Amino acid sequence: MAAFRRLLRLPSSLPRTNISSFTRIREGLGGSFRSYNAVASTDQTVLKLDEVDDLVLDGEVAKIRGEFEAAKQGFLRIPEAVKGMPKMNPEGIYVNKNLRLDNIQVYGFDYDYTLAHYSPNLHRLIYDLAKEHMVNEFRYPETCLKFRYDQTFPIRGLSYDKKNGCLLKLDFFGSIEPDGCYFGRRKLSRKEIEQIYGTRHIGRDQARGLVGLMDFFCFSEACLLADVVQHFVDAKLEFDATYIYQDVDRAIQHVHRSGLVHRGILSDPDRYLVKNGRVLHFLTMLREKGKKLFLLTNSPYNFVDGGMRFMLEDSLGYRDSWRELFDVVIAKANKPEFYTSEHPFRYYDMEKDTLAFNKVDAFLPNKIYYHGSLKSFLQITKWNGPEVIYFGDHLFSDLRGPSKAGWRTAAIIHELENEILIQNDDNYRFEQAKFHIIQELLGKLHATVANSQRSEVYQLLSEELNDERLKARQKMKKMFNKSFGATFLTDTGQESAFAYYIHQYADVYTSKPENFLLYPPEAWLHVPFDIKIMPHHVKVPSSLFKNQ
């Protein structure tokens, strides 16, 4: 109560009973005496009514401070409270649109980062090969060869601004994350963001200049973009951010299309590929249930074959080939054009490494096909859209086309598993709970005091609340990624732009295809009834502080 008395600052000559009477008079006249230019008198003193207003407001601020002090005492007991909260399953399937698995008769899969599990070493390999190509072929300075991939810097779901050269993390509604805007490797301040963009919200015209970095290969790309920009800044050289993007993108594409990265992976599969018997178990289970399976990938057949044999060699057993698991295998599909083009399928001769010229009007067992289109695929298979589910990691190349074509879609997001583990951790939930109660108190404070009435008492409490909120935000962010925080969330607890695209294009999402083994093949997957946006998010309620 001492804190309350200090904050109220009542004149010693004014009886405390008069505060309530002033408040009643003020309320009876519609909330403010200022338009009446009146004064209230007592036997002991005379106060102008705008001074009474200030006293009343300081009293309201004092109440909020009291709640803040009580909450800080509650912080000491919260760790016990969060232990009783339910934890999300890191290997769970999370549902954006209701899905009945008993209606699914056909399962389709991408290869890279869907069936194939890669180690983090692959990002460094792609990064190194791309930077070497930029130096050797595009004549970038040889000092660029000293660049080193930094796995602690990028996350998936960033956007690169081709006009201004910034890497941006956007929220669900297209606003720039205040601590998620980098020019090169330097984080920009809020003031710098406003100087460049005018506002944190990205408008439609500005959005046309953004490139989304959404697949798992984008880690190398995002890091290389930032490093090249930083190099030009440090060298005090003028540059066009669009040209940098074009060169980095061409280098990354060359690494894939030339086969450099494929040869690198197959030359040392133990370094880059992760063996995975569970995915074989999942595919075998589907076959035994009478489901149809197909593989649709942009990678060349020899690369897929080498990877599948390595990953499954300890689990295949009697099988002569992993191809027996699939009714149709399509390589070099050229997604996303596959979904909109009318390219014909070509039969691939594995022995001669050539494409045949005969027309493909049926998919034969144990054969490999190249190119093609969704239109031809549906004509040949007669597989109707709603009975097909397609698994992929790239929200644009893999899932946007199938989603628009009527297929059901499953996004494979490897980061999901680790991020759920972090969200389940008591330390994270403790900071999250602190953040929510402070946010609630700040909202109450701003709603109580108008801009023109912000006194020293208000300013002091506002600064304290903002400091505590910032500390909680920074602690939560560092648990994920020191530069950009969580993949699915912004620092303020809102869903990210990456979460938006998952919500838009994925019926369900999970960390690995084989997580479906945890569910019966006839399961009905439902959107949680209390869902706001992303079903794997659990937010610690601020009421935990009040119930302690």
Side-chain angles (χ1 to χ4, degrees), residues 231-244:
H231 173 80
F232 279 99
V233 170
D234 293 341
K236 296 181 172 56
L237 297 174
E238 292 187 4
F239 65 93
D240 189 306
T242 298
Y243 295 156
I244 287 181

Side-chain angles (χ1 to χ4, degrees), residues 263-276:
R263 290 192 293 271
I265 292 171
L266 294 182
S267 67
D268 192 0
D270 287 296
R271 179 175 175 78
Y272 300 110
L273 281 164
V274 179
K275 292 192 175 183
N276 184 12

Side-chain angles (χ1 to χ4, degrees), residues 450-482:
N451 288 345
S452 60
Q453 300 170 301
R454 293 181 175 178
S455 63
E456 182 181 347
V457 175
Y458 161 88
Q459 201 65 37
L460 181 63
L461 178 57
S462 177
E463 290 175 0
E464 288 184 38
L465 287 169
N466 276 304
D467 286 345
E468 288 294 325
R469 181 175 64 166
L470 180 61
K471 290 177 185 177
R473 281 175 55 181
Q474 290 176 337
K475 287 181 180 179
M476 287 190 289
K477 176 179 180 177
K478 290 178 180 177
M479 293 181 191
F480 294 97
N481 175 280
K482 66 178 184 180

Side-chain angles (χ1 to χ4, degrees), residues 302 304-314 316 320 322:
N302 288 332
V304 175
D305 181 54
M308 290 291 280
R309 284 191 285 108
F310 173 80
M311 289 186 295
L312 305 180
E313 64 183 355
D314 297 334
L316 279 172
D320 294 329
W322 59 268

Side-chain angles (χ1 to χ4, degrees), residues 97-100 103-106 294 339-340 374-375 377-378 383-390 398-410 504-507:
K97 300 175 186 175
N98 293 342
L99 177 65
R100 288 181 53 173
N103 287 340
I104 303 298
Q105 303 302 318
V106 183
F294 68 93
Y339 300 111
T340 56
L374 176 63
K375 180 178 179 180
F377 183 82
L378 296 177
W383 292 338
N384 296 318
E387 68 178 6
V388 181
I389 187 170
Y390 186 69
D398 290 333
L399 303 183
R400 179 162 55 184
S403 177
K404 291 182 177 180
W407 286 0
R408 308 309 299 269
T409 53
Q504 188 171 15
Y505 297 127
D507 293 340

Side-chain angles (χ1 to χ4, degrees), residues 181-199:
C181 180
Y182 280 75
F183 184 64
R185 297 299 294 270
R186 184 176 70 86
K187 183 172 71 173
L188 300 184
S189 66
R190 292 193 180 206
K191 184 177 181 181
E192 289 175 313
I193 294 173
E194 291 178 359
Q195 288 174 344
I196 295 172
Y197 296 99
T199 175

Side-chain angles (χ1 to χ4, degrees), residues 390-457:
Y390 186 69
F391 291 69
D393 73 293
H394 196 303
L395 299 178
F396 297 154
S397 293
D398 290 333
L399 303 183
R400 179 162 55 184
S403 177
K404 291 182 177 180
W407 286 0
R408 308 309 299 269
T409 53
I412 303 302
I413 312 297
H414 286 265
E415 306 96 301
L416 178 66
E417 193 165 321
N418 184 59
E419 294 212 354
I420 289 179
L421 288 173
I422 293 172
Q423 290 180 172
N424 284 341
D425 186 85
D426 289 345
N427 292 325
Y428 176 83
R429 292 187 169 195
F430 174 45
E431 297 300 332
Q432 188 187 35
K434 287 172 61 177
F435 177 84
H436 286 165
I437 188 63
I438 294 167
Q439 188 88 329
E440 186 177 293
L441 289 172
L442 272 169
K444 186 180 294 186
L445 180 65
H446 295 326
T448 300
V449 183
N451 288 345
S452 60
Q453 300 170 301
R454 293 181 175 178
S455 63
E456 182 181 347
V457 175

Side-chain angles (χ1 to χ4, degrees), residues 326-340:
F326 296 94
D327 295 272
V328 184
V329 175
I330 302 168
K332 300 274 289 196
N334 197 31
K335 294 175 293 181
E337 285 80 3
F338 176 88
Y339 300 111
T340 56

